Amino acid sequence: MIRRPVLVAAAVLLQVALVGGAVAPQLSARTGEEYRFRVGPVDPMEPLRGAYVALDYPDLLPREAPSGDIIGTPLPTGRVFVPVEVRDGVAHGRPAVRDRPASGPYLACDSSGHGLDCGIGSWFVPQEEAARLDRSLRDRTAVATVRIDARGNAALVDLDPTPAQAPTQP
């Protein structure tokens, strides 16, 4: 018969492994390289969750081809990878691909076919900062600092509502 301390230890180890597996991508991203993305709001407040901002990354999904044509191809569903390139000090996404890129920075995201979840969509703030942040985001002057590790895992580490050199809108 297995002793009670052994069962308790096994249960604790299983729980630690499950929690560790759930947060490992965000923790590993904290050691990645920093990239700055322009951001805007999606939904600035949710009363039950407190003051947070759901962020929109307008430069993450290209909306125009280099020729100027609008890109109308729907995203593939499931796991996709968005290569990232830096132009004028701000990160921009390139078209999402199904296969992991062999080189260069990229984001590992989940796609619903018309939107992406890259794990960097929410930023929590103290209640007193919410209104000021909301105004900056609506003006599209805010910049998010995102760390991306070598596997494409991303973590939002800072949100600057009034950057010294706010990127201009294209």
Side-chain angles (χ1 to χ4, degrees):
M1 180 176 253
I2 299 177
R3 300 183 115 156
R4 184 178 180 101
V6 173
L7 290 174
V8 170
V12 168
L13 286 175
L14 178 62
Q15 290 176 1
V16 168
L18 290 173
V19 170
V23 299
Q26 284 74 27
L27 292 177
S28 71
R30 297 274 179 183
T31 63
E33 291 192 43
E34 286 189 358
Y35 295 88
R36 294 169 48 91
F37 289 88
R38 286 184 324 126
V39 292
V42 173
D43 181 19
M45 296 284 289
E46 184 177 297
L48 299 177
R49 291 180 70 186
Y52 89 104
V53 179
L55 300 171
D56 173 43
Y57 290 78
D59 299 324
L60 189 57
L61 282 176
R63 291 173 174 84
E64 289 186 7
S67 64
D69 296 333
I70 300 297
I71 297 175
T73 307
L75 291 167
T77 57
R79 190 63 149 179
V80 297
F81 303 94
V82 179
V84 173
E85 65 183 7
V86 177
R87 293 191 307 256
D88 300 324
V90 180
H92 296 264
R94 295 186 24 230
V97 294
R98 173 79 58 204
D99 297 320
R100 188 180 299 271
S103 64
Y106 60 88
L107 290 168
C109 306
D110 291 315
S111 170
S112 62
H114 51 75
L116 290 177
D117 178 9
C118 302
I120 53 175
S122 297
W123 183 253
F124 290 86
V125 295
Q127 190 71 33
E128 60 274 4
E129 290 182 36
R132 180 177 60 87
L133 184 57
D134 184 45
R135 281 191 301 276
S136 293
L137 289 171
R138 291 196 186 284
D139 292 340
R140 299 268 187 205
T141 60
V143 174
T145 301
V146 175
R147 287 188 184 251
I148 306 172
D149 73 5
R151 306 256 327 135
N153 299 312
L156 179 58
V157 295
D158 191 25
L159 187 59
D160 187 357
T162 55
Q165 293 183 325
T168 57
Q169 217 171 335

